Amino acid sequence: MSAPTTPDPGGTPAVALGPTALVLGVVAAPGVWPGLMFTVMPWSWLTGGLAVAFGLAGVRYARRGIGRMWPAVTGTVLGALGLGGFFFLLAALSV
C-alpha cells in the first residue's frame, strides 16, 4: 500500500504562527500598564513587533485554512498594544 502524496495542511509550520504570536503578545502586553512599563520595556518592543509580524502571517494562512484564526488575531492585538505602550513611553520621555 502506498503512502498518500498530498500534504496535510495541519502539519505545516504555518500552523504554529498563531500560537507563537499569542505567546509573544502576552509577553508584550504588560508594557501598556504604567507600573510595568519600565520593567518589561526591553522585551515589550521586541516581542510586540514579532507578535504583530507572526500574527499577521498567521491570519493570512488561517484565511487559507491552515491554522486557527483566533490565536493569530489575539496575538496581533496584544502585540500591537505592547508596541503601542512602548512608543507612548518613548514619546512621553522625549518631550
Side-chain angles (χ1 to χ4, degrees):
M1 186 164 147
S2 64
T5 58
T6 58
D8 178 27
T12 64
V15 175
L17 288 171
T20 303
L22 181 62
V23 169
L24 290 171
V26 166
V27 172
V32 175
W33 288 281
L36 296 173
M37 275 187 182
F38 291 111
T39 307
V40 297
M41 188 171 59
W43 300 286
S44 184
W45 67 273
L46 181 64
T47 58
L50 287 173
V52 169
F54 288 161
L56 290 176
V59 167
R60 179 176 182 261
Y61 281 109
R63 290 187 62 151
R64 294 181 177 190
I66 301 172
R68 297 190 182 259
M69 183 68 78
W70 74 268
V73 171
T74 307
T76 304
V77 170
L78 289 174
L81 281 174
L83 203 56
F86 171 73
F87 285 129
F88 176 76
L89 179 67
L90 193 66
L93 290 177
S94 66
V95 173

